[in-house]
Structure formats: C-alpha cells, structure tokens
Amino acid sequence: MAPRVVVVGSANMDLVGLAPTLPRPGETVLGDDFVMAPGGKGSNQAIAAARAGGETTFLGAIGSDAFGVTLGARLAAAGVNTTRVRTSYGTSGVAVIMVDRAGENSILVSPGANRTFTGLTADEQAVIGEADVLLCQQEIPMETVHAALRAGRAGGTRTILNAAPARDLPPGLLDEVDLLLVNEIEARAVAGTEEPDMGALLALVPRVVLTLSGSGARYADRDGQDVHIPAFPVEVADTTAAGDAFTGALAVAWGEGRDLLDAVRWANAAGAACVQRVGASGALPERAEIEALYNS
C-alpha cells in the first residue's frame, strides 16, 4: 500500500534562464535558453513524492491568474490530490531562476498567493493527522508551518521539516519535528553556529539529514548514528530541483517503513536521477528511474 504523504507548502511558476555563467551584481549575461515551468518547493516536493510512489495530497495556495491554472493542472497531472488547494485572488508565486552551464543556480522567489496560505481549517488538520508522513518547507507563512506540524504531531503523523529557505523559527516549532532536513547553509542558520554542527541540531530535533550537494548526504540521530551516504555519480545538467526530488523521495521511503539510512540512499538516487535533466517539476523522476539508479 502506498504511503500517505501530505505536503504543506508553496507553489510557484518557475521562470528559468540558462546561461554560460551566472551574472554578478550589475552584470548582464547573454543567455542560452529560457524555460517556464511550474515549481515551488511545496509543489515540487508533492510531485516528487507522487512520482516516487506516494499517495500525495498538497495543501497550499495558488493565484487566480493564468499561472495558477497551470500550477493546479501540473499537480493534478502528476497524480497529486489537489482537491484542497486554495485559490487566492491575485498573482501566483513566481521564482526567477538562473542556471549556468555547470548546473549551478541562483533563485529569487516572489511569494504571491503563498503569503495568503494562513489559518489551517479543521479539514486540513484532519488530513494531516491521517497521513503517514507530513512534509513542510519554509516558503509559506511560518505560523502555517507550525500549525501543520502541530496537527501532524497530534495525529501521530511522522513530521519532516525541510528548513528551506533559512528563516527565523517560531519558539516551539522544532519540538513538533521528527526529522529535520537541511543543507549546510540551513544547518548553520538553525543551529546558530558558524559551521554545520550535528550535535547542536540533535539538541533541537531527534533526527537530522544534512544534504551535501554532490557529496551525498549525512544522517544522524540521538541513538548515536552519524553516517555519510555518498551520492550516485552522474552527469549533471541542472541542480535546481535536486533537493526537492531528494526530499519527496525521502518522505515516501520513510512512509514505506524503510530504515532511515536506506531511505536516504534511495533519496540520493532520486536526486541523482533529477540532476540529469534541466528544469524543476519536469525533471523530477518517476519511481522506476529511482529504482533503476538505486539498484545500479
């Protein structure tokens, strides 16, 4: 039976420019190509979880503009349950993304409708409480993230916080988190240290996954495990959605009951499958692609 995954987060339209190099402040760079595609951390991770085999529900807000129509259609086409997605009058969220030929990127996000996603309803809280895994990020109002995590904890749902982008956290929020997922920048912001400190993070949450870009990931918990899980070697085309592919797959793998070390390995395979294609939601891999790379 597929694990029930609820993703509470953002939906954006990604405007992606491809160029030889990323422009420096004040510099104009002649680009190679342009792609417009649905994205946003919440939407991407919901699609990633659905394609990885999860029975996935997305809770978030889209605008009443043409971008909103496209965002809702892309989620539904990927197999995500969108019956509870809110439509807010006005613009949808937009992300302006620049990608260089080495696959590195720079991203600016304008939240749009995502700012309006506040005040979880009783129905939304019930859906969260009935799930196997709740997955949250930080591109929506933090009070909504906190409310979702509380609903997950109250319902016995496993809760994952992908603390991205780095933001100040409300008091008590981390008390509701079963697994914290961060990159090195986010780890420093959460722990309040100059370098990523797993000990400081484990003082706040019981389990941590630290993503290390092309080096894979590191998993640690309060039982004393602290293990580096290497990345799968692949040719990189675009790293934009790699973190979202990893995160959605990790939620599914944990919901299936995999040991977390194995779940991280499987998520590494999802991230590696993703970076071989350009784009955000369109680059997120299907379960068969993840399995093929994982088994290789």
Side-chain angles (χ1 to χ4, degrees), residues 78-123:
V80 177
N81 183 333
T82 60
T83 57
R84 293 174 175 84
V85 174
R86 303 181 191 180
T87 299
S88 174
Y89 181 78
T91 61
S92 298
V94 173
V96 179
I97 303 170
M98 295 176 289
V99 183
D100 68 17
R101 289 176 183 171
E104 292 301 321
N105 63 76
S106 180
I107 304 174
L108 169 68
V109 176
S110 176
N114 296 303
R115 284 199 185 100
T116 71
F117 185 40
T118 58
L120 290 181
T121 66
D123 177 61

Side-chain angles (χ1 to χ4, degrees), residues 35-277:
V35 178
M36 184 172 72
K41 281 193 174 297
S43 176
N44 282 350
Q45 291 176 12
I47 292 173
R51 289 182 177 171
E55 182 184 318
T56 305
T57 298
F58 179 65
L59 302 180
I62 56 177
S64 57
D65 54 3
F67 284 169
V69 174
T70 303
L71 290 168
R74 174 59 67 89
L75 282 161
V80 177
N81 183 333
T82 60
T83 57
R84 293 174 175 84
V85 174
R86 303 181 191 180
T87 299
S88 174
Y89 181 78
T91 61
S92 298
V94 173
V96 179
I97 303 170
M98 295 176 289
V99 183
D100 68 17
R101 289 176 183 171
E104 292 301 321
N105 63 76
S106 180
I107 304 174
L108 169 68
V109 176
S110 176
N114 296 303
R115 284 199 185 100
T116 71
F117 185 40
T118 58
L120 290 181
T121 66
D123 177 61
E124 289 167 337
Q125 293 178 56
V127 169
I128 291 169
E130 293 166 358
D132 296 306
V133 178
L134 167 68
L135 176 55
C136 297
Q137 322 78 28
Q138 299 183 167
E139 286 184 341
I140 59 174
M142 290 306 295
E143 59 265 32
T144 306
V145 175
H146 200 173
L149 291 167
R150 283 196 299 265
R153 178 56 57 85
T157 302
R158 290 175 171 176
T159 58
I160 301 175
L161 175 64
N162 177 205
R167 296 175 65 178
D168 292 335
L169 304 181
L173 182 144
L174 291 176
D175 294 340
E176 315 294 345
V177 174
D178 293 318
L179 173 64
L180 178 68
L181 174 60
V182 286
N183 64 20
E184 294 176 282
I185 294 172
E186 295 146 8
R188 291 194 290 268
V190 173
T193 56
E194 291 185 5
E195 295 298 329
D197 185 331
M198 296 301 261
L201 292 171
L202 289 173
L204 301 171
V205 295
R207 303 167 190 85
V208 177
V209 173
L210 174 66
T211 57
L212 302 168
S213 189
S215 297
R218 182 178 168 190
Y219 170 75
D221 60 32
R222 289 176 178 170
D223 293 329
Q225 292 193 92
D226 190 342
V227 182
H228 173 239
I229 301 97
F232 289 80
V234 294
E235 185 174 341
V236 175
D238 181 5
T239 62
T240 300
D244 295 332
F246 178 99
T247 304
L250 180 65
V252 171
W254 199 24
E256 290 174 342
R258 292 180 189 240
D259 172 88
L260 268 167
L261 284 177
D262 186 50
V264 172
R265 290 188 186 97
W266 202 71
N268 271 350
C274 178
V275 299
Q276 296 176 83
R277 291 193 290 266

